[in-house]
Amino acid sequence: MDFTLTEEQRELRSIVRRFMGARSAEPEVRRLMATQAGYDPDVWRQMSEQLGLPGLAIPEEYEGAGFGYVELGLVFEEMGRVLLCAPYFSTVFAAEVLLRGNDEDAKKNFLPGIAAGTTIATVALLERASGWTADDIHLAATAGPDWWTLTGTKKHVLDGHVADLVLVAARTPAGISLFAVDKRAAGFVATPLETMDQTRKQAELTFTETPARLIGDEGDGWTAITRALETAAIMLGAEQVGGASRALEMAVEYAKVRVQFGRPIGSFQAIKHKCADMLAETESARSAAYYGMWALSAEDDDVPTAARMAKIYCSQAFMHVASENIQIHGGIGFTWEHPAHLYFKRAKTCEVLLGTPAHHRQLLAGQLGL
């Protein structure tokens, strides 16, 4: 496999890195994580109007930029480096659910707004802390004379309190179906949640006979969701690589300047070994994420396996690197004022988002017939 980035892809990465460095510096991250919304509408507008990031991988026929998953993964990697506070992951995930479905009208209705950045979207799946399978979906959908209605609760919905469009997985007599709910719909309540990682906001969504639009065929929702989850796992892996890369850089920079016993701590063998291990894990994680990006772009049959591998390895690598970064910094690494804890908290939430590594090992074992 030749995975050499093109000049255009390298330039995209450079442009996004400069933009993120200017718009998502540590003081800005700390400011936004203290707000309820958790993002800056002006920055979101710039991401949409100047760079076209929400619609980067949406086909041109739906008014997107028409780029591929390699380019999208590079954007996620750069966002992970700076812990971007924005509803980007949730919106891209929702767009992917729509693209993987078979409802052409829904694509034409919703995707142009997502691509333009005027529609913030999210996907509501979880009903308990770790329920990422079809068997965990119990929220009820009832057919009426004019529309469907939803009754139940969804937990830990990314950016659910600021989303204009919520795609909800619900159970009907035919099975798991997908529904679109407008934030202004009757009986819909979004309650922001307190989270360990304040840079990524979550909400609890309550539906009380809430009007909803059926997306695709009744009972066929889980097919699109499964494919979108695979894409999301790979993109999350790319984000984790970005976070691990920055945590590694922080550790190395500190090891060069922190003097103990008359010399930089980076000269001690124990610190050298830690940094070497962090580098090896980060680069291995990058290989796993990039392979997934390539498989998605090539529409390869190996996408499900690549998604599991990316989620498992990138989660473990980011957690270990973020933890070791704190250890290398010593006492200052445990303080609120130092950014090391922000990366550790993001690493922890990324580890459980979309399912833990243990969950994906079980899925991978099933795919391999083990």
Side-chain angles (χ1 to χ4, degrees):
M1 177 182 66
D2 181 9
F3 198 81
T4 304
L5 296 180
T6 66
E7 182 178 349
E8 185 179 48
Q9 290 167 342
R10 291 195 295 271
E11 181 62 20
L12 172 65
R13 192 218 295 268
S14 178
I15 291 172
V16 173
R17 180 170 293 192
R18 289 197 299 270
F19 180 88
M20 294 300 162
R23 305 301 193 280
S24 188
E26 183 190 339
E28 183 66 4
V29 170
R30 289 181 180 271
R31 181 184 75 83
L32 292 174
M33 63 189 249
T35 66
Q36 181 170 290
Y39 79 105
D40 187 332
D42 289 336
V43 173
W44 179 257
R45 185 164 50 252
Q46 293 168 16
M47 289 170 56
S48 306
E49 297 176 357
Q50 296 179 16
L51 301 182
L53 296 184
L56 189 70
I58 294 177
E60 293 179 357
E61 61 184 299
Y62 306 117
E63 302 182 23
F67 284 89
Y69 292 105
V70 173
E71 291 81 4
L72 186 62
L74 294 176
V75 170
F76 271 109
E77 184 178 352
E78 294 306 314
M79 290 181 176
R81 285 180 57 87
V82 297
L83 303 180
L84 177 72
C85 296
Y88 189 74
F89 185 90
S90 55
T91 297
V92 169
F93 185 19
E96 186 67 12
V97 170
L98 291 169
L99 286 168
R100 296 294 180 173
N102 59 5
D103 191 326
E104 193 63 26
D105 288 338
K107 295 177 185 180
K108 292 179 179 178
N109 288 341
F110 298 128
L111 288 176
I114 292 176
T118 56
T119 299
I120 295 173
T122 191
V123 182
L125 292 180
L126 285 181
E127 297 177 22
R128 60 184 184 87
S130 58
W132 293 100
T133 68
D135 292 338
D136 296 304
I137 305 297
H138 301 289
L139 186 143
T142 304
D146 300 314
W147 54 72
W148 290 79
T149 59
L150 305 181
T151 299
T153 302
K154 291 291 186 179
K155 300 179 182 296
H156 305 291
V157 180
L158 296 181
D159 305 303
H161 61 303
V162 297
D164 305 298
L165 171 68
V166 182
L167 300 181
V168 185
R171 187 169 293 278
T172 71
I176 304 301
S177 304
L178 188 65
F179 296 88
V181 174
D182 187 277
K183 69 176 182 180
R184 298 161 296 186
F188 173 71
V189 177
T191 305
L193 299 174
E194 291 187 7
T195 57
M196 180 183 71
D197 175 17
Q198 294 170 283
T199 66
R200 174 165 276 157
K201 302 297 184 179
Q202 301 178 20
E204 179 175 288
L205 308 184
T206 302
F207 305 88
T208 306
E209 296 185 359
T210 302
R213 169 181 171 174
L214 177 66
I215 303 294
D217 299 326
E218 182 186 353
D220 196 38
W222 195 250
T223 301
I225 291 171
T226 298
R227 294 172 180 170
L229 281 170
E230 293 167 353
T231 302
I234 293 169
M235 294 302 117
L236 183 62
E239 179 188 297
Q240 291 168 310
V241 168
S245 297
R246 182 60 194 130
L248 171 61
E249 291 171 3
M250 291 166 56
V252 171
E253 290 166 3
Y254 187 75
K256 290 179 179 179
V257 299
R258 177 68 169 96
V259 175
Q260 187 66 278
F261 303 111
R263 55 179 175 151
I265 62 173
S267 65
F268 295 113
Q269 190 176 53
I271 300 298
K272 289 180 180 179
H273 286 179
K274 282 184 180 291
C275 290
D277 289 343
M278 292 163 70
L279 174 62
E281 290 187 342
T282 299
E283 291 305 312
S284 296
R286 178 174 283 109
S287 296
Y290 278 32
Y291 176 71
M293 291 152 53
W294 172 84
L296 282 170
S297 295
E299 298 182 355
D300 194 90
D301 292 339
D302 204 31
V303 166
T305 300
R308 309 298 172 223
M309 292 173 60
K311 184 62 178 70
I312 293 166
Y313 196 85
C314 294
S315 294
Q316 294 175 334
F318 190 15
M319 270 300 303
H320 184 254
V321 171
S323 177
E324 291 290 74
N325 180 40
I326 293 175
Q327 293 296 321
I328 289 174
H329 276 84
I332 194 174
F334 286 86
T335 64
W336 175 263
E337 290 75 18
H338 197 277
H341 72 96
L342 300 179
Y343 286 85
F344 181 83
K345 292 173 181 176
R346 175 64 75 90
K348 188 60 182 178
T349 57
C350 285
E351 183 184 39
V352 299
L353 182 60
L354 307 181
T356 64
H359 169 71
H360 283 271
R361 285 194 191 92
Q362 289 181 334
L363 294 177
L364 182 60
Q367 289 172 202
L368 300 176
L370 301 178

